[in-house]
Amino acid sequence: MTIFRPPIVRTGTAALNRALFSKTVDIAAAAVLDNRLISKYRKSLDAGKEILHVDRVSPIRPHPDKALAEQGRKCLLLAPSVRPEASDTWGPVLKEGVDKKELTVVPYELRLDYDYWTYRDVMGSILPEDLHDEIPSGFNIAGHVAHLNLRDNYLSYKNLVAEIILDKNPQIKTVINKVDNVGSESEFRTFQYEVLAGPGDLNVQVSESDCIFEFDYSKVYWNSKLESEHRRLINLFQPGEVVCDVMAGIGPFAVPAGKKRVFVWANDKNPESFKCLEAAIKKNKVTPFVRPFCEDGRVFIHQAADSVFEASQSGECAVVIRKEALPQTEPSPITTNDTTTTNSNSNPNPPPRPRTRYTTREDRIPLPPTISHFVMNLPASAIDFLPAYRGVYAGREALFAETPDTRQRQRLPMVHVHCFSVKAADQEAALRLAQADICERIGEKLGFVVRPAAAGGGVGEEKGKEEEEEEEGVVAVHCVRDVAPAKSMYCASFRLPREVAFAARG
């Protein structure tokens, strides 16, 4: 409703004058003569569409007359179409309440101030109309820090933006703005920044998937917008499997996976990320399952496959201690003259029930010899790492051979590689373009022809999902999120082809 829009405040200055956002809206209210009738009339006025419906405004208010308000009298705010002096604007419920002398219709001044308006309300009020299409709102939050990536045409408003973000988000204490591009200036995806508001302390604590992470936001990569993608892949991992996280960062995939008893070889080349990863593994008590490494990703792919195999061959396993309650022994019943008495009144001092006793047991979960999933969350360049998979299981073909007793075989690992590709206004067209682009790049780096899954790649409709997944060269492309007007982030998942996995190592 137009009357509930904020006032236009375009002062042309860099100062935020909160007083300019005060506004009074003249409406009507139904004053209730007996507060016990409030619930009844709220429901009936709501059903008759006579009550006020505005976000963040409760329709139940103190009586506008101060003396009556001090006595506890209440009123119900009415829709803007209702005018107190014009009974022809009153609906049937309101008229009936007035006729019964249970209601009176009175003028009401609804006062709205700066605290009422949302961040977007205030920004829309301050910014010129030609900047309304892309109001800075999709900022990344890490603990108490809000991280902006302002476009050039908003830079003159950057301090106002930061001040309003602090006002409207009580959990945020510091606002920073990125001043370079992630992935181009730093191989560790860190970035140069300026502090726009609040203290410059970027040591934060975040919680994701019931795990706690602590880090200096200026020294490692973290993106809270990827939480759903972290969860999506973690849900694919099964307890007892091995996952190799090639670019693990501080562990948003690795640590929660460890909590569900998935073995993870977690690697990051950034020494600061490695240090935070070690701390997260310890803090979240996943040491039996998650092992941290600090290596170049290309080297680590072969290293992980070899070390998992060797650790499995030596009988390594995760030992999990669990606490179990021992069966309780019930106290003997109290007997009198050979008759069992269960009435507590007959014995004012019954013997105490025995305390629950516990024992500890060890669960030993063996480490498999092969990796089930590789994760490569470095979208700017992860595809360039794919040549490192050539020969990853060279000489170990027997690990993936059919066994005579079950006629089943261990499948080669799934590779989940994050990347950037095109975005278009037409979502289906964009996905087709992205699939073609991503598959071409993957095929070039693998030295093996791949094609999109399902409709995008011409795989026969008669094949089921699992059968299609087993086909070499089939790539499932999932859109993770949009990152720029013409660019989206994707995750391409495919089973490592035998020709690549068993190729001779260089």
Side-chain angles (χ1 to χ4, degrees):
M1 288 179 277
T2 304
I3 62 171
F4 289 99
R5 291 178 182 170
I8 302 302
V9 181
R10 293 181 184 138
T11 61
T13 69
L16 176 62
N17 187 343
R18 295 169 180 81
L20 296 178
F21 288 86
S22 295
K23 180 176 183 177
T24 298
V25 180
D26 293 321
I27 56 175
V32 185
L33 273 65
D34 185 340
N35 284 352
R36 290 174 294 183
L37 298 173
I38 289 175
S39 178
K40 166 193 167 183
Y41 275 108
R42 180 176 183 173
K43 290 179 181 178
S44 54
L45 287 168
D46 186 30
K49 298 182 179 180
E50 298 177 67
I51 207 164
L52 179 69
H53 281 287
V54 175
D55 290 342
R56 305 180 309 284
V57 174
S58 171
I60 303 176
R61 292 297 179 98
H63 197 288
D65 185 301
K66 186 176 180 181
L68 294 177
E70 289 176 352
Q71 297 174 21
R73 292 275 297 278
K74 304 285 185 183
C75 67
L76 294 165
L77 303 186
L78 300 173
S81 59
V82 178
R83 299 197 306 275
E85 74 285 356
S87 59
D88 59 332
T89 65
W90 303 355
V93 175
L94 196 56
K95 288 179 178 177
E96 182 181 356
V98 171
D99 290 342
K100 290 182 176 179
K101 302 190 183 304
E102 294 177 343
L103 300 176
T104 56
V105 183
V106 296
Y108 192 95
E109 292 183 344
L110 178 62
R111 295 181 177 86
L112 305 174
D113 58 17
Y114 176 80
D115 290 338
Y116 168 74
W117 310 110
T118 66
Y119 168 79
R120 291 193 68 87
D121 288 337
V122 176
M123 290 303 301
S125 179
I126 290 175
L127 293 175
E129 288 188 7
D130 60 341
L131 294 181
H132 282 194
D133 289 343
E134 298 179 3
I135 290 175
S137 59
F139 45 84
N140 192 24
I141 297 176
H144 66 272
V145 176
H147 164 206
L148 300 174
N149 184 14
L150 290 175
R151 301 184 191 280
D152 290 345
N153 49 350
Y154 292 96
L155 289 177
S156 59
Y157 298 92
K158 64 185 181 182
N159 296 111
L160 273 174
V161 172
E163 192 173 358
I164 296 165
I165 287 174
L166 288 185
D167 286 344
K168 300 302 179 180
N169 300 273
Q171 79 278 17
I172 294 175
K173 307 300 179 188
T174 299
V175 181
I176 63 174
N177 182 45
K178 184 175 70 175
V179 295
D180 63 17
N181 291 319
V182 175
S184 57
E185 281 76 8
S186 168
E187 64 175 322
F188 299 148
R189 291 188 286 179
T190 56
F191 55 90
Q192 297 296 314
Y193 65 92
E194 58 180 337
V195 177
L196 300 182
D201 175 21
L202 300 193
N203 289 293
V204 301
Q205 182 183 92
V206 301
S207 175
E208 184 176 293
S209 297
D210 296 323
C211 296
I212 302 296
F213 300 90
E214 296 175 335
F215 52 92
D216 183 335
Y217 190 49
S218 67
K219 296 180 179 179
V220 304
Y221 178 78
W222 177 269
N223 191 336
S224 58
K225 295 177 183 178
L226 293 176
E227 182 174 1
S228 60
E229 175 64 3
H230 298 154
R231 189 182 305 114
R232 184 184 73 87
L233 284 189
I234 292 166
N235 286 339
L236 300 178
F237 310 151
Q238 299 303 312
E241 288 184 334
V242 183
V243 170
C244 176
D245 194 350
V246 184
M247 301 95 173
I250 65 171
F253 288 109
V255 176
K259 273 205 166 183
K260 64 182 286 190
R261 299 190 175 189
V262 175
F263 292 98
V264 186
W265 260 236
N267 173 73
D268 201 272
K269 191 177 179 181
N270 180 354
E272 186 69 23
S273 294
F274 173 73
K275 183 176 75 175
C276 295
L277 174 61
E278 284 188 307
I281 291 169
K282 183 176 180 181
K283 186 175 188 67
N284 293 284
K285 301 179 181 179
V286 294
T287 304
F289 292 95
V290 185
R291 306 189 189 190
F293 300 86
C294 188
E295 304 283 351
D296 180 271
R298 293 175 179 84
V299 175
F300 183 69
I301 289 169
H302 278 200
Q303 179 184 316
D306 293 344
S307 64
V308 167
F309 175 75
E310 291 161 4
S312 177
Q313 292 298 101
S314 66
E316 290 190 28
C317 61
V319 178
V320 180
I321 307 298
R322 57 190 172 87
K323 191 176 177 182
E324 283 189 350
L326 291 171
Q328 287 191 10
T329 303
E330 293 293 331
S332 301
I334 303 166
T335 58
T336 304
N337 296 328
D338 297 327
T339 302
T340 300
T341 304
T342 57
N343 187 342
S344 60
N345 293 330
S346 64
N347 185 359
N349 298 303
R353 296 183 64 84
R355 290 184 178 179
T356 302
R357 294 185 301 158
Y358 294 90
T359 186
T360 57
R361 300 190 186 278
E362 286 187 354
D363 284 340
R364 303 181 71 84
I365 304 173
L367 180 70
T370 61
I371 294 168
S372 295
H373 297 267
F374 283 89
V375 178
M376 305 174 72
N377 183 26
L378 189 66
S381 59
I383 286 179
D384 294 336
F385 286 67
L386 292 179
Y389 286 95
R390 294 195 65 80
V392 68
Y393 280 113
R396 297 196 176 120
E397 292 85 349
L399 293 173
F400 304 94
E402 289 185 354
T403 56
D405 53 341
T406 63
R407 291 296 173 187
Q408 292 181 344
R409 61 181 172 84
Q410 174 63 39
R411 294 183 293 182
L412 281 159
M414 290 292 294
V415 178
H416 308 280
V417 55
H418 290 90
C419 55
F420 295 128
S421 191
V422 294
K423 172 191 171 185
D426 184 329
Q427 191 172 3
E428 290 187 10
L431 183 58
R432 287 194 298 271
L433 288 171
Q435 286 174 328
D437 169 58
I438 292 167
C439 286
E440 181 179 354
R441 289 153 58 196
I442 288 174
E444 179 185 346
K445 295 298 180 181
L446 282 180
F448 187 91
V449 177
V450 299
R451 63 189 185 281
V459 177
E461 293 183 3
E462 72 279 2
K463 292 182 172 65
K465 182 180 179 183
E466 289 193 6
E467 186 179 350
E468 181 184 5
E469 184 182 88
E470 279 304 300
E471 282 202 42
E472 291 191 341
V474 174
V475 179
V477 178
H478 170 77
C479 184
V480 176
R481 56 183 291 262
D482 295 336
V483 296
K487 182 169 73 171
S488 293
M489 177 180 173
Y490 296 87
C491 180
S493 299
F494 60 92
R495 196 165 295 283
L496 193 63
R498 299 172 71 82
E499 181 178 311
V500 176
F502 302 146
R505 291 192 178 184

